[in-house]
Amino acid sequence: HRHLTGIAGLQPHEIIFLLDEAEQWVEVNRTRAKSDKRLEGITQINAFFENSTRTLLSFEIAGKRLGADVVNMQVGQSSVKKGETLLDTAATLNAMRSDVIVIRHGSSGAVALIADKVDCPVLNAGDGWHEHPTQALLDALTIRRRRGSVAGQRVVICGDILHSRVARSNMLALTALAAEVRVVAPSTLMPAAIERMYVTPFTDFDAALEGADVVMMLRVQNERMSGGYIPSTREFHMRYGLTPERLSRAAPDALVMHPGPMNRGVEIDSSVADDPERSAITEQVEMGVAVRMACLDVLTRASRGVEGWA
Ligand code: CP
């Protein structure tokens, strides 16, 4: 089975293929149509070991719109709480004959570990600091629809780059699609070998914003800082918060993005987040359903006897 554990495993033409596939579902989702039941008979298990609003609900809605039987594992009430290991949990889900498993986990690499142990496609819904591939796909789709193309766009990603699986997957996807990517963080929240990601690092947000076409803001992930540097919210807002004044350094029609959940008044001001012209934040959520419909469809094609990847 082919899995979706990260953008790292995808060729640029495969990323484009998934975005093209997602386009057809945008309108279907907008009209709440449920006439295409191509996943009828498919059992989709969502196993989220970390909290989620957007990713969990959009995977559930995506599966249901296409007719799948969607089951959400209640991790908090599960035998994980009695000490069952991740691999035993995976073997248990596998024995129930699931056809596709969607997993979010706090440990980097946990999703790939499970993918090796089960007989069905596994989709990564975010693993630790590693990857969040469907987030990067929905971000790329949002940029492509709003700006006409991803190629050539100057995209600034600002915030806790070190701990962000969203930043990592976006760096991989956007550079694969030929965007010019700038990443901004305090030096303590910037990965050591960032140049290897083919992006340009900045510690000065104002400098990075010059001529930006897209400004993507990230949340400071306090839950992932064990003993390390935690910036105060006031200090972070002063140096790295997206205010209307700061945004004026970007291109006049620059798009503002945030994967959510937002810390209003910390990394982004409400007046920017809620700007109907510039903010694409709710559109990102909308694209999330379409992208996940495409991923569920494409990843289960082989097992449904339909031709798979292009
Ligand atoms: N963007 C994102 O992954 O949000 P959730 O944590 O709410 O799923």
mmCIF file of all heavy atoms in Angstrom, residues 193-221:
data_model
loop_
_atom_site.group_PDB
_atom_site.id
_atom_site.type_symbol
_atom_site.label_atom_id
_atom_site.label_comp_id
_atom_site.label_asym_id
_atom_site.label_seq_id
_atom_site.Cartn_x
_atom_site.Cartn_y
_atom_site.Cartn_z
ATOM 1 N N ALA A 193 20.031 23.239 10.594
ATOM 2 C CA ALA A 193 20.472 23.085 9.197
ATOM 3 C C ALA A 193 19.384 23.559 8.234
ATOM 4 O O ALA A 193 19.092 22.904 7.244
ATOM 5 C CB ALA A 193 20.826 21.635 8.941
ATOM 6 N N ILE A 194 18.840 24.727 8.511
ATOM 7 C CA ILE A 194 17.676 25.201 7.757
ATOM 8 C C ILE A 194 17.984 25.411 6.266
ATOM 9 O O ILE A 194 17.106 25.217 5.426
ATOM 10 C CB ILE A 194 17.097 26.494 8.410
ATOM 11 C CG1 ILE A 194 15.740 26.866 7.791
ATOM 12 C CG2 ILE A 194 18.067 27.655 8.343
ATOM 13 C CD1 ILE A 194 14.610 25.963 8.166
ATOM 14 N N GLU A 195 19.232 25.773 5.929
ATOM 15 C CA GLU A 195 19.567 26.003 4.513
ATOM 16 C C GLU A 195 19.347 24.757 3.657
ATOM 17 O O GLU A 195 19.084 24.853 2.466
ATOM 18 C CB GLU A 195 21.017 26.484 4.348
ATOM 19 C CG GLU A 195 21.256 27.918 4.794
ATOM 20 C CD GLU A 195 21.520 28.041 6.280
ATOM 21 O OE1 GLU A 195 21.491 26.991 6.984
ATOM 22 O OE2 GLU A 195 21.736 29.179 6.749
ATOM 23 N N ARG A 196 19.448 23.596 4.296
ATOM 24 C CA ARG A 196 19.250 22.345 3.547
ATOM 25 C C ARG A 196 17.810 22.200 3.050
ATOM 26 O O ARG A 196 17.509 21.317 2.254
ATOM 27 C CB ARG A 196 19.585 21.135 4.431
ATOM 28 C CG ARG A 196 21.061 20.916 4.558
ATOM 29 C CD ARG A 196 21.311 19.550 5.195
ATOM 30 N NE ARG A 196 22.446 19.653 6.103
ATOM 31 C CZ ARG A 196 22.616 18.903 7.167
ATOM 32 N NH1 ARG A 196 21.737 17.983 7.482
ATOM 33 N NH2 ARG A 196 23.676 19.054 7.930
ATOM 34 N N MET A 197 16.911 23.033 3.575
ATOM 35 C CA MET A 197 15.510 22.972 3.127
ATOM 36 C C MET A 197 15.280 23.892 1.922
ATOM 37 O O MET A 197 14.144 24.069 1.496
ATOM 38 C CB MET A 197 14.576 23.402 4.261
ATOM 39 C CG MET A 197 14.668 22.571 5.534
ATOM 40 S SD MET A 197 14.155 20.857 5.318
ATOM 41 C CE MET A 197 12.400 21.025 5.033
ATOM 42 N N TYR A 198 16.331 24.473 1.380
ATOM 43 C CA TYR A 198 16.230 25.377 0.205
ATOM 44 C C TYR A 198 15.352 26.599 0.482
ATOM 45 O O TYR A 198 14.585 27.047 -0.368
ATOM 46 C CB TYR A 198 15.720 24.620 -1.035
ATOM 47 C CG TYR A 198 16.541 23.390 -1.340
ATOM 48 C CD1 TYR A 198 16.055 22.117 -1.070
ATOM 49 C CD2 TYR A 198 17.831 23.502 -1.871
ATOM 50 C CE1 TYR A 198 16.819 20.982 -1.309
ATOM 51 C CE2 TYR A 198 18.603 22.371 -2.118
ATOM 52 C CZ TYR A 198 18.080 21.122 -1.838
ATOM 53 O OH TYR A 198 18.844 20.005 -2.074
ATOM 54 N N VAL A 199 15.434 27.096 1.725
ATOM 55 C CA VAL A 199 14.710 28.312 2.103
ATOM 56 C C VAL A 199 15.716 29.326 2.634
ATOM 57 O O VAL A 199 16.846 28.963 2.968
ATOM 58 C CB VAL A 199 13.633 28.023 3.183
ATOM 59 C CG1 VAL A 199 12.608 27.024 2.678
ATOM 60 C CG2 VAL A 199 14.268 27.525 4.480
ATOM 61 N N THR A 200 15.300 30.587 2.719
ATOM 62 C CA THR A 200 16.186 31.629 3.248
ATOM 63 C C THR A 200 15.741 31.988 4.661
ATOM 64 O O THR A 200 14.595 32.403 4.861
ATOM 65 C CB THR A 200 16.111 32.890 2.353
ATOM 66 O OG1 THR A 200 16.243 32.472 0.994
ATOM 67 C CG2 THR A 200 17.209 33.874 2.705
ATOM 68 N N PRO A 201 16.644 31.808 5.658
ATOM 69 C CA PRO A 201 16.265 32.123 7.037
ATOM 70 C C PRO A 201 16.460 33.596 7.381
ATOM 71 O O PRO A 201 17.402 34.241 6.906
ATOM 72 C CB PRO A 201 17.217 31.253 7.864
ATOM 73 C CG PRO A 201 18.424 31.077 7.004
ATOM 74 C CD PRO A 201 17.984 31.201 5.578
ATOM 75 N N PHE A 202 15.570 34.131 8.205
ATOM 76 C CA PHE A 202 15.650 35.505 8.704
ATOM 77 C C PHE A 202 15.366 35.484 10.212
ATOM 78 O O PHE A 202 14.535 34.701 10.671
ATOM 79 C CB PHE A 202 14.561 36.397 8.076
ATOM 80 C CG PHE A 202 14.791 36.776 6.644
ATOM 81 C CD1 PHE A 202 14.553 35.873 5.619
ATOM 82 C CD2 PHE A 202 15.205 38.066 6.309
ATOM 83 C CE1 PHE A 202 14.735 36.228 4.289
ATOM 84 C CE2 PHE A 202 15.392 38.440 4.981
ATOM 85 C CZ PHE A 202 15.157 37.521 3.961
ATOM 86 N N THR A 203 16.021 36.369 10.955
ATOM 87 C CA THR A 203 15.588 36.593 12.344
ATOM 88 C C THR A 203 14.800 37.903 12.422
ATOM 89 O O THR A 203 14.086 38.139 13.383
ATOM 90 C CB THR A 203 16.783 36.648 13.316
ATOM 91 O OG1 THR A 203 17.758 37.538 12.772
ATOM 92 C CG2 THR A 203 17.405 35.273 13.524
ATOM 93 N N ASP A 204 14.952 38.758 11.403
ATOM 94 C CA ASP A 204 14.277 40.057 11.364
ATOM 95 C C ASP A 204 13.015 39.938 10.499
ATOM 96 O O ASP A 204 13.098 39.829 9.268
ATOM 97 C CB ASP A 204 15.250 41.095 10.791
ATOM 98 C CG ASP A 204 14.643 42.488 10.753
ATOM 99 O OD1 ASP A 204 13.399 42.621 10.834
ATOM 100 O OD2 ASP A 204 15.418 43.455 10.625
ATOM 101 N N PHE A 205 11.863 39.954 11.144
ATOM 102 C CA PHE A 205 10.586 39.769 10.436
ATOM 103 C C PHE A 205 10.352 40.898 9.428
ATOM 104 O O PHE A 205 9.926 40.653 8.289
ATOM 105 C CB PHE A 205 9.463 39.713 11.478
ATOM 106 C CG PHE A 205 8.113 39.275 10.967
ATOM 107 C CD1 PHE A 205 7.956 38.627 9.740
ATOM 108 C CD2 PHE A 205 6.968 39.484 11.743
ATOM 109 C CE1 PHE A 205 6.703 38.217 9.288
ATOM 110 C CE2 PHE A 205 5.714 39.078 11.294
ATOM 111 C CZ PHE A 205 5.581 38.448 10.073
ATOM 112 N N ASP A 206 10.667 42.141 9.834
ATOM 113 C CA ASP A 206 10.427 43.280 8.934
ATOM 114 C C ASP A 206 11.215 43.139 7.627
ATOM 115 O O ASP A 206 10.685 43.392 6.551
ATOM 116 C CB ASP A 206 10.801 44.593 9.634
ATOM 117 C CG ASP A 206 9.836 44.903 10.763
ATOM 118 O OD1 ASP A 206 8.625 44.764 10.535
ATOM 119 O OD2 ASP A 206 10.294 45.252 11.863
ATOM 120 N N ALA A 207 12.459 42.689 7.738
ATOM 121 C CA ALA A 207 13.284 42.507 6.535
ATOM 122 C C ALA A 207 12.705 41.411 5.649
ATOM 123 O O ALA A 207 12.644 41.544 4.420
ATOM 124 C CB ALA A 207 14.721 42.170 6.930
ATOM 125 N N ALA A 208 12.258 40.329 6.268
ATOM 126 C CA ALA A 208 11.728 39.197 5.500
ATOM 127 C C ALA A 208 10.442 39.561 4.767
ATOM 128 O O ALA A 208 10.137 39.022 3.701
ATOM 129 C CB ALA A 208 11.468 38.015 6.429
ATOM 130 N N LEU A 209 9.673 40.494 5.328
ATOM 131 C CA LEU A 209 8.359 40.823 4.765
ATOM 132 C C LEU A 209 8.416 41.635 3.469
ATOM 133 O O LEU A 209 7.419 41.700 2.745
ATOM 134 C CB LEU A 209 7.540 41.605 5.799
ATOM 135 C CG LEU A 209 6.848 40.771 6.872
ATOM 136 C CD1 LEU A 209 6.287 41.679 7.955
ATOM 137 C CD2 LEU A 209 5.737 39.916 6.268
ATOM 138 N N GLU A 210 9.581 42.228 3.167
ATOM 139 C CA GLU A 210 9.684 43.087 1.977
ATOM 140 C C GLU A 210 9.229 42.333 0.729
ATOM 141 O O GLU A 210 9.806 41.311 0.359
ATOM 142 C CB GLU A 210 11.133 43.572 1.780
ATOM 143 C CG GLU A 210 11.636 44.521 2.848
ATOM 144 C CD GLU A 210 10.837 45.843 2.950
ATOM 145 O OE1 GLU A 210 10.202 46.237 1.944
ATOM 146 O OE2 GLU A 210 10.849 46.437 4.050
ATOM 147 N N GLY A 211 8.186 42.809 0.107
ATOM 148 C CA GLY A 211 7.712 42.238 -1.160
ATOM 149 C C GLY A 211 7.058 40.868 -1.044
ATOM 150 O O GLY A 211 6.903 40.171 -2.058
ATOM 151 N N ALA A 212 6.654 40.475 0.154
ATOM 152 C CA ALA A 212 6.052 39.143 0.314
ATOM 153 C C ALA A 212 4.692 39.064 -0.376
ATOM 154 O O ALA A 212 3.899 40.006 -0.319
ATOM 155 C CB ALA A 212 5.898 38.812 1.794
ATOM 156 N N ASP A 213 4.439 37.922 -1.038
ATOM 157 C CA ASP A 213 3.134 37.678 -1.657
ATOM 158 C C ASP A 213 2.194 36.933 -0.710
ATOM 159 O O ASP A 213 0.974 37.039 -0.807
ATOM 160 C CB ASP A 213 3.300 36.827 -2.927
ATOM 161 C CG ASP A 213 4.169 37.521 -3.956
ATOM 162 O OD1 ASP A 213 3.836 38.653 -4.350
ATOM 163 O OD2 ASP A 213 5.196 36.935 -4.353
ATOM 164 N N VAL A 214 2.790 36.134 0.169
ATOM 165 C CA VAL A 214 2.020 35.351 1.130
ATOM 166 C C VAL A 214 2.735 35.430 2.473
ATOM 167 O O VAL A 214 3.960 35.277 2.527
ATOM 168 C CB VAL A 214 1.925 33.859 0.698
ATOM 169 C CG1 VAL A 214 1.181 33.035 1.742
ATOM 170 C CG2 VAL A 214 1.276 33.717 -0.675
ATOM 171 N N VAL A 215 1.979 35.677 3.550
ATOM 172 C CA VAL A 215 2.567 35.696 4.892
ATOM 173 C C VAL A 215 1.845 34.637 5.717
ATOM 174 O O VAL A 215 0.640 34.744 5.977
ATOM 175 C CB VAL A 215 2.427 37.077 5.569
ATOM 176 C CG1 VAL A 215 3.186 37.087 6.896
ATOM 177 C CG2 VAL A 215 2.926 38.191 4.652
ATOM 178 N N MET A 216 2.592 33.581 6.070
ATOM 179 C CA MET A 216 2.007 32.466 6.805
ATOM 180 C C MET A 216 2.509 32.515 8.241
ATOM 181 O O MET A 216 3.702 32.418 8.492
ATOM 182 C CB MET A 216 2.449 31.165 6.129
ATOM 183 C CG MET A 216 1.739 29.933 6.604
ATOM 184 S SD MET A 216 2.410 28.448 5.797
ATOM 185 C CE MET A 216 1.795 28.631 4.131
ATOM 186 N N MET A 217 1.588 32.689 9.184
ATOM 187 C CA MET A 217 1.972 32.823 10.593
ATOM 188 C C MET A 217 1.755 31.497 11.332
ATOM 189 O O MET A 217 0.794 30.783 11.058
ATOM 190 C CB MET A 217 1.130 33.921 11.260
ATOM 191 C CG MET A 217 1.272 35.283 10.618
ATOM 192 S SD MET A 217 2.989 35.862 10.502
ATOM 193 C CE MET A 217 3.432 35.961 12.241
ATOM 194 N N LEU A 218 2.646 31.204 12.268
ATOM 195 C CA LEU A 218 2.557 29.949 13.021
ATOM 196 C C LEU A 218 2.395 30.232 14.503
ATOM 197 O O LEU A 218 2.842 31.265 15.001
ATOM 198 C CB LEU A 218 3.818 29.105 12.825
ATOM 199 C CG LEU A 218 4.177 28.726 11.396
ATOM 200 C CD1 LEU A 218 5.534 28.036 11.382
ATOM 201 C CD2 LEU A 218 3.118 27.834 10.780
ATOM 202 N N ARG A 219 1.840 29.281 15.189
ATOM 203 C CA ARG A 219 1.637 29.365 16.629
ATOM 204 C C ARG A 219 2.926 28.977 17.359
ATOM 205 O O ARG A 219 3.624 28.051 16.938
ATOM 206 C CB ARG A 219 0.530 28.358 16.975
ATOM 207 C CG ARG A 219 0.102 28.231 18.390
ATOM 208 C CD ARG A 219 -1.103 27.271 18.462
ATOM 209 N NE ARG A 219 -0.724 25.887 18.183
ATOM 210 C CZ ARG A 219 -0.282 25.036 19.099
ATOM 211 N NH1 ARG A 219 -0.142 25.423 20.361
ATOM 212 N NH2 ARG A 219 0.022 23.797 18.781
ATOM 213 N N VAL A 220 3.240 29.655 18.456
ATOM 214 C CA VAL A 220 4.337 29.223 19.328
ATOM 215 C C VAL A 220 3.855 27.976 20.068
ATOM 216 O O VAL A 220 2.808 28.000 20.715
ATOM 217 C CB VAL A 220 4.736 30.319 20.343
ATOM 218 C CG1 VAL A 220 5.808 29.805 21.305
ATOM 219 C CG2 VAL A 220 5.240 31.557 19.624
ATOM 220 N N GLN A 221 4.611 26.887 19.917
ATOM 221 C CA GLN A 221 4.140 25.596 20.444
ATOM 222 C C GLN A 221 4.708 25.355 21.831
ATOM 223 O O GLN A 221 5.639 24.566 22.010
ATOM 224 C CB GLN A 221 4.520 24.487 19.475
ATOM 225 C CG GLN A 221 4.016 24.820 18.088
ATOM 226 C CD GLN A 221 3.800 23.622 17.210
ATOM 227 O OE1 GLN A 221 3.630 22.496 17.663
ATOM 228 N NE2 GLN A 221 3.798 23.870 15.923
#
